[in-house]
Amino acid sequence: MVKQRVAQLEYSEFQSAMLDEAKRRRKAAKIIAVLEHFHGPLAGLTVGDVGCSAGFIADELAQAGAGHTLGIDIDVPGLRKAADRFGERVAFVCGDGTALPFPDGSIDVLVFNHIYEHVVDPDAVVAEMHRVLSDDGVLYLGLGNRLGVMEPHYKLPFLSYLPPALADRYVRAFGRADHYYERFRTRRGLRRMLRAFHVWDYTFPVLATPTKFAGGELFPGLPGKVVKAVLSRMPRELLRLLLPVVPTYLWVATKTPRRPVGAHLPQPPERVRPL
């Protein structure tokens, strides 16, 4: 019998990665670099991190110059830690992503980084982010792919491919959990989820030029140099063949048509074809 999904309250209490400050700040640096390449500086903007937990990414957004920074989550222990440390420069709000406590069009930039697979109704959260985002606003999305071979939370190959009942048995068999909670979507499913937005794909730009996007640790050492060189020169037609199984997509979405303002890249961002 498949266990019913309910909201993951107090997520930081059982997922230690949310409290890994160094790693979370590295992720924030990448997010900010992508946002600045697409939109320009964050100075003076109202910025929100949906699913902020302990607040490290929200704090980095504030330090990047945001005029007002908001951190939103249902993770009360994480929010308490965040408010204790960063409350002077970030306003933390205990709020459900399906009913964001902000007026229509009031947020300039939103970050939704590796959250959708954890929420009960990601389509409702995406609809709420569309509502509160300003007409010329920008939404950053880090999106796991169901067809990525290695499941990122439990480190078990092909776990996310399985139907829920089999996935539950798989994680129990390896002693990782009593059931598999997360629900990933394929690239096509993610395109459908974002169908109200205009979306640009930054996955290959970040992989091919990681140093420009604060991602130098992605490919360390000599093998890393080789990988970066190959990716930066590979014809885009070949790279597109890999898209269905890329483990993580880095997308930027807007309510109205916009184009990146940053410098040309060896592998430039591309529009994601709407469904």
Side-chain angles (χ1 to χ4, degrees), residues 1 31 38 80 105 114 136 162 190 219 232 240:
M1 182 176 179
I31 291 167
F38 183 86
R80 287 189 181 127
H114 294 285
D136 59 350
L162 300 176
L190 295 169
F219 302 117
S232 65
R240 290 193 191 104

Side-chain angles (χ1 to χ4, degrees), residues 175-228:
R176 304 293 171 85
D178 65 346
H179 76 288
Y180 181 51
Y181 181 90
E182 288 71 18
R183 295 290 182 269
F184 286 98
R185 301 187 183 191
T186 63
R187 181 178 174 85
R188 182 175 180 82
L190 295 169
R191 287 167 55 206
R192 186 177 298 112
M193 185 173 76
L194 274 297
R195 61 188 178 275
F197 288 89
H198 302 267
V199 181
W200 287 82
D201 194 335
Y202 269 79
T203 307
F204 290 138
V206 172
L207 291 174
T209 50
T211 55
K212 290 186 179 296
F213 293 100
E217 81 282 357
L218 291 174
F219 302 117
L222 181 60
K225 292 181 179 179
V226 173
V227 171
K228 286 186 286 186

Side-chain angles (χ1 to χ4, degrees), residues 13-261:
E13 295 290 280
F14 59 87
Q15 179 52 265
S16 60
M18 302 306 294
L19 303 179
D20 185 338
E21 181 167 355
K23 185 175 181 179
R24 300 296 289 174
R25 290 191 184 277
R26 288 196 299 271
K27 286 181 180 291
K30 178 175 65 179
I31 291 167
I32 291 166
V34 169
L35 285 170
E36 289 183 339
H37 186 272
F38 183 86
H39 173 81
L42 304 182
L45 301 179
T46 298
V47 179
D49 181 14
V50 179
C52 67
S53 191
F56 300 118
I57 291 176
D59 182 55
E60 289 290 332
L61 292 166
Q63 293 190 63
H68 301 281
T69 308
L70 306 162
I72 308 99
D73 212 313
I74 55 174
D75 176 7
V76 172
L79 288 172
R80 287 189 181 127
K81 294 182 178 71
D84 286 345
R85 289 193 61 184
F86 314 123
E88 291 186 1
R89 53 182 172 264
V90 179
F92 292 100
V93 179
C94 184
D96 188 332
T98 63
L100 294 171
F102 311 118
D104 295 1
S106 59
I107 311 294
D108 299 308
V109 175
L110 285 171
V111 172
F112 193 56
N113 186 53
H114 294 285
I115 302 297
Y116 89 90
E117 70 270 22
H118 299 287
V119 302
V120 176
D121 189 350
D123 295 289
V125 177
V126 168
E128 270 293 273
M129 292 192 294
H130 188 276
R131 179 185 67 80
V132 303
L133 197 67
S134 64
D135 286 343
D136 59 350
V138 177
L139 168 62
Y140 174 95
L141 299 137
L143 302 166
N145 177 13
R146 183 180 179 182
L147 300 184
V149 172
M150 185 61 71
E151 204 283 341
H153 303 89
Y154 302 92
K155 309 302 182 186
L156 293 172
F158 303 109
L159 172 60
S160 56
Y161 285 53
L162 300 176
L166 288 178
D168 287 350
R169 293 180 184 178
Y170 192 10
V171 295
R172 284 197 296 268
F174 283 85
R176 304 293 171 85
D178 65 346
H179 76 288
Y180 181 51
Y181 181 90
E182 288 71 18
R183 295 290 182 269
F184 286 98
R185 301 187 183 191
T186 63
R187 181 178 174 85
R188 182 175 180 82
L190 295 169
R191 287 167 55 206
R192 186 177 298 112
M193 185 173 76
L194 274 297
R195 61 188 178 275
F197 288 89
H198 302 267
V199 181
W200 287 82
D201 194 335
Y202 269 79
T203 307
F204 290 138
V206 172
L207 291 174
T209 50
T211 55
K212 290 186 179 296
F213 293 100
E217 81 282 357
L218 291 174
F219 302 117
L222 181 60
K225 292 181 179 179
V226 173
V227 171
K228 286 186 286 186
V230 170
L231 285 174
S232 65
R233 293 173 174 80
M234 185 177 291
R236 201 55 175 261
E237 291 75 14
L238 293 179
L239 286 175
R240 290 193 191 104
L241 297 177
L242 301 175
L243 281 173
V245 294
V246 168
T248 298
Y249 302 116
L250 305 179
W251 288 357
V252 171
T254 59
K255 290 171 70 171
T256 55
R258 294 185 57 181
R259 299 185 65 84
V261 301

